[in-house]
Amino acid sequence: LHQHPELGFDLQETCAYVRGRLEEMGYEVRLTRTSNSENPSMTQRLKYCYPTLDTTRDPDADAFVCIHSNAGGGRGSCYISLSGLYDQAGISDTYVSDGNELGKYINDRIVSSTSMGISGSGAYDGFPTTILFCKSPVTIAYLEIGFFDNQSDLNILKTESDSIGKAIAEGINDYFTAKESGGAGETAQSAPAV
């Protein structure tokens, strides 16, 4: 789970809920940061997709979930959608659709399980070349949960961090359960790097 330090609130509590809920469900979770004083590069964060952070080996994580909040006068929750061509080694032919599906499952859970509304259609199409999309060796979901410069969203972020964390975890589980029942992907007990 990636926590962004410039926010007007602390995502650590939400990430702790995500981690705890996923671990209860049997997942292994790797946090890329454990405090807001840490700010590793995106390349450093993606190392958590590999066994013992060793990028010479094949990645053993099944997903990378990036948790953010937005600013700029908007309202609600969305995921940044992948589109275009990505050519990093080892990604599947379904990298784009898998990432968008994971983002949608998580965002749908956030919107249905909390007071946070949906931002636009729920998918933000403006950043297909986001560095994480272009470097991630595994399925990735990039979330923008609320606008911290919107007082209503900020209040939800501050007072519903447990519900938001639970919704994120359940959305991740929904995705892996659907992949498993469809005969594709890894089991629901695989390891998302969050």
Side-chain angles (χ1 to χ4, degrees):
L1 293 171
H2 167 173
Q3 305 152 354
H4 214 317
E6 66 269 12
L7 300 178
F9 69 101
D10 190 350
L11 275 178
Q12 290 194 220
E13 187 174 328
T14 298
C15 291
Y17 284 114
V18 175
R19 181 182 204 166
R21 183 71 181 117
L22 285 172
E23 287 176 344
E24 286 173 8
M25 289 188 253
Y27 290 92
E28 174 188 344
V29 178
R30 301 172 191 160
L31 295 178
T32 63
R33 296 169 21 177
T34 56
S35 77
N36 283 338
S37 64
E38 299 170 283
N39 194 19
S41 70
M42 296 301 173
T43 301
Q44 289 290 16
R45 292 173 190 168
L46 288 170
K47 287 183 178 181
Y48 285 86
C49 295
Y50 297 90
T52 64
L53 310 180
D54 181 356
T55 59
T56 65
R57 298 174 65 189
D58 289 336
D60 64 345
D62 291 311
F64 187 95
V65 177
C66 194
I67 300 172
H68 283 257
S69 182
N70 212 336
R75 177 182 182 122
S77 181
C78 66
Y79 65 95
I80 299 177
S81 64
L82 289 86
S83 63
L85 301 174
Y86 302 97
D87 61 0
Q88 56 270 42
I91 61 170
S92 74
D93 292 341
T94 57
Y95 179 74
V96 170
S97 60
D98 288 346
N100 289 336
E101 185 178 345
L102 176 58
K104 182 172 178 9
Y105 271 110
I106 297 168
N107 198 62
D108 286 353
R109 276 290 191 156
I110 292 167
V111 171
S112 69
S113 301
T114 71
S115 301
M116 185 67 66
I118 194 165
S119 179
S121 69
Y124 183 70
D125 300 324
F127 293 102
T129 57
T130 298
I131 193 164
L132 286 173
F133 293 168
C134 297
K135 290 187 170 193
S136 180
V138 298
T139 299
I140 184 168
Y142 196 116
L143 304 167
E144 293 287 0
I145 304 168
F147 284 74
F148 57 87
D149 60 351
N150 175 301
Q151 191 58 48
S152 176
D153 280 8
L154 181 60
N155 185 53
I156 294 166
L157 291 166
K158 287 182 173 182
T159 61
E160 296 185 41
S161 59
D162 56 343
S163 297
I164 292 169
K166 181 180 178 187
I168 293 167
E170 290 175 353
I172 292 168
N173 189 60
D174 291 345
Y175 168 79
F176 282 111
T177 300
K179 294 293 280 181
E180 183 178 306
S181 68
E186 299 297 317
T187 68
Q189 301 304 313
S190 38
V194 206

